[in-house]
Amino acid sequence: MQTQKLAKFISELRYDTIPDACIKSVKRSLIDSLGCAASGASAPWSKAVFNLVKNMAGKEEASIWFTGVSGPASMVPLVTSTMIHSYWFDDIHGAKVHPGAVVMPAVLATSEAIGGISGKQMLTAMVAGAECLARVSKAADPVKVRLQGLQPSTVCGSFGAAAGAAKILSLNIQQVSDTLGLASGFAAGNYAFSIDGSAVEMVQMGSAAQRGVMAALLARKESWNSNYGLDAQDGGFCRLFNGGETLSNLTDNLGVVFEMQNLTMKTFPVCGSLLSYVEAAINLARENNIDPKNVRKVKVGVAKVVELQCGHPYRQLGILHAEDNLRYCVAVAMFSHGFTINHLQPKWMNNKDIIDFIPRIETYLDPEIDASYPAKFSARIEAEMKDGSIYSSYVDTPTGSKDRPLSDEQLVKKFMEQVDGVVESEKAKEIVCLINNLENMSDVTVLTKLLA
């Protein structure tokens, strides 16, 4: 009955039962997500899904942010979610999922389509969606999911989007249970893109958000009699990957511990598992005044999932292959003492110094890092110089994580940098102000019109 217990929580969740820290985390995630959407709107894959939705006939129910174009609530999240995830700069949870990329587009599109939604209702729906997403991934076991070649955030993403949309639609317990059952049937998303550098992954995230909204809309109109989509002995989603060994994560401390408080706001546009490696490489090079050309070799301690996911040989296959490649990210960080979206341009991805340096980077299984992954994204790097001297750097958890959070000022600075050239400065400041006061908003149309 785990599915129904989670459905009851989603259906009955009230704003006044949510911790203040969780509400603040949701607001920060929304600000960050919209910034990522603005910077990702011009990416070729974002343009591709935008043109698809724009050219389809349908109701103009929800805004495709920053474009002046609207479309059906069931289709718009395909675009807005893809925009957010375009450069992998969006937030990440330790269960290897991206709440901002899938939950926020689903909730905003559904809110705009329904109309008359208050800020408190929207915030509550975002919490419900993020909580569902993280718990489904933890119950399925994100490491086992990933080791089977699947992408936890997209496979589990439809559940988070579905829960958020269901909450906006005020679905009852059975309808939410049906929504989760439909989302279970829709779940999809593999990891083949890490080998060929395909932009399929960006659209997978959008597809997860879209499927979640569709699940909630279907459950609203029809009874599906689905009660065990997550925990059925035969085929329940959270039993598919490890036989249900971690199924209790679905509902343990439900309503007491809120997962939205465990977000990491990224400081670099790379795979979340690589954030600490980029930071460690920057620290290593900067603090020891290292010239990479004088390095004999670099040893990098990794978890087995990080080796599988990001340890493949670097090839010049484009943006996604670069930001998901440990060797490329470490090399760039050591050469430039940073890592920005600019480092995902051909000038850097084809840089001869970087390409020549990469073969000097070796990985090994680090038992300590492996044991704590993915609850913590830790990194250990050691550089052996040509003169025999050795320097090392260790990052326990990256900047932007719960234990080392970005300040509100740093988060807004990131947002303003990303919307630059897309949204006028004064309008961008107004968006931030509205989000920070969302609980006082009687109708979120004020915000959605500004985003349109």
Side-chain angles (χ1 to χ4, degrees):
M1 304 292 283
Q2 297 268 45
T3 302
Q4 291 176 320
K5 187 174 180 181
L6 181 60
K8 184 176 188 294
F9 167 80
I10 293 166
S11 180
E12 297 180 352
L13 181 64
R14 303 190 319 275
Y15 177 84
D16 58 11
T17 64
I18 302 171
D20 291 343
C22 189
I23 294 297
K24 181 173 182 178
S25 183
V26 168
K27 292 178 182 179
R28 285 164 58 88
S29 176
L30 181 55
I31 292 169
D32 193 57
S33 298
L34 292 172
C36 291
S39 68
S42 60
W45 36 87
S46 294
K47 289 181 177 180
V49 291
F50 168 75
N51 288 328
L52 174 70
V53 173
K54 180 184 177 183
N55 294 328
M56 297 175 85
K59 293 181 180 180
E60 296 185 348
E61 297 177 312
S63 305
I64 301 175
W65 309 324
F66 317 122
T67 67
V69 175
S70 297
S74 60
M75 289 299 297
V76 165
L78 174 65
V79 187
T80 50
S81 176
T82 300
M83 288 162 59
I84 291 173
H85 196 59
S86 278
Y87 294 111
W88 285 20
F89 215 174
D90 49 302
D91 60 37
I92 187 168
H93 183 278
K96 289 180 69 64
V97 290
H98 299 265
V102 290
V103 176
M104 305 305 168
V107 170
L108 278 165
T110 311
S111 297
E112 193 173 359
I114 294 300
I117 299 299
S118 71
K120 286 184 178 180
Q121 286 175 285
M122 178 181 278
L123 290 166
T124 304
M126 289 174 175
V127 171
E131 190 70 17
C132 179
L133 171 61
R135 285 180 172 274
V136 167
S137 183
K138 290 175 73 174
D141 190 336
V143 169
K144 296 287 179 63
V145 173
R146 179 60 193 90
L147 290 175
Q148 292 185 41
L150 299 172
Q151 159 65 301
S153 197
T154 51
V155 172
C156 301
S158 56
F159 295 102
K167 190 63 181 172
I168 290 295
L169 295 171
S170 299
L171 301 192
N172 62 36
I173 296 172
Q174 184 56 53
Q175 288 173 317
V176 176
S177 184
D178 286 345
T179 299
L180 296 176
L182 287 161
S184 184
F186 294 163
N190 63 356
Y191 231 97
F193 61 83
S194 67
I195 301 302
D196 56 25
S198 167
V200 166
E201 197 274 348
M202 281 69 163
V203 184
Q204 279 185 177
M205 202 69 69
S207 179
Q210 177 199 13
R211 294 191 305 265
V213 173
M214 288 177 62
L217 291 172
L218 284 168
R220 185 189 187 203
K221 293 292 187 181
E222 190 68 50
S223 174
W224 299 90
N225 195 34
S226 179
N227 298 307
Y228 303 98
L230 294 170
D231 60 324
Q233 287 286 344
D234 182 17
F237 180 83
C238 296
R239 292 184 183 274
L240 295 176
F241 308 97
N242 64 6
E245 292 175 13
T246 51
L247 185 62
S248 63
N249 286 332
L250 201 59
T251 55
D252 278 356
N253 294 313
L254 191 60
V256 178
V257 175
F258 283 83
E259 294 294 337
M260 195 63 183
Q261 295 172 233
N262 297 320
L263 287 189
T264 293
M265 301 294 179
K266 290 187 179 181
T267 50
F268 310 110
V270 300
C271 171
S273 297
L274 298 183
L275 290 169
S276 289
Y277 289 97
V278 172
E279 188 170 343
I282 292 170
N283 294 344
L284 182 70
R286 181 181 291 157
E287 292 172 5
N288 300 291
N289 197 27
I290 290 176
D291 181 349
K293 294 179 181 179
N294 295 326
V295 174
R296 177 178 290 120
K297 68 178 178 180
V298 177
K299 294 175 65 178
V300 183
V302 299
K304 56 178 175 290
V305 170
V306 176
E307 176 64 30
L308 171 69
Q309 182 171 302
C310 308
H312 38 271
Y314 176 66
R315 294 178 290 161
Q316 294 147 279
L317 296 174
I319 289 173
L320 190 139
H321 187 76
E323 64 194 352
D324 194 37
N325 190 280
L326 182 148
R327 289 171 172 80
Y328 177 77
C329 291
V330 167
V332 168
M334 290 191 69
F335 269 87
S336 68
H337 296 184
F339 199 108
T340 69
I341 290 176
N342 288 332
H343 292 113
L344 298 173
Q345 302 301 321
K347 170 186 173 183
W348 278 93
M349 293 188 291
N350 303 328
N351 182 283
K352 186 177 184 302
D353 288 338
I354 297 293
I355 293 170
D356 289 346
F357 183 77
I358 282 174
R360 301 180 213 172
I361 302 173
E362 304 173 358
T363 62
Y364 67 94
L365 181 64
D366 185 306
E368 180 186 352
I369 290 174
D370 187 51
S372 65
Y373 183 90
K376 286 199 303 185
F377 295 136
S378 303
R380 196 186 315 276
I381 299 180
E382 181 181 280
E384 180 183 331
M385 309 303 291
K386 290 179 179 178
D387 64 6
S389 57
I390 295 175
Y391 301 100
S392 63
S393 178
Y394 173 77
V395 172
D396 185 59
T397 185
T399 299
S401 63
K402 178 186 176 183
D403 296 328
R404 300 177 62 205
L406 294 181
S407 68
D408 292 342
E409 292 74 19
Q410 289 173 313
L411 187 69
V412 171
K413 182 176 183 290
K414 176 185 173 184
F415 171 81
M416 296 299 290
E417 288 172 350
Q418 290 188 288
V419 302
D420 185 38
V422 180
V423 181
E424 294 176 1
S425 177
E426 289 306 309
K427 182 183 283 189
K429 292 176 184 177
E430 188 177 354
I431 290 171
V432 172
C433 184
L434 285 174
I435 293 172
N436 282 331
N437 292 282
L438 205 52
E439 69 274 20
N440 300 316
M441 198 178 294
S442 59
D443 189 335
V444 296
T445 302
V446 179
L447 175 62
T448 56
K449 282 184 177 178
L450 201 60
L451 296 177

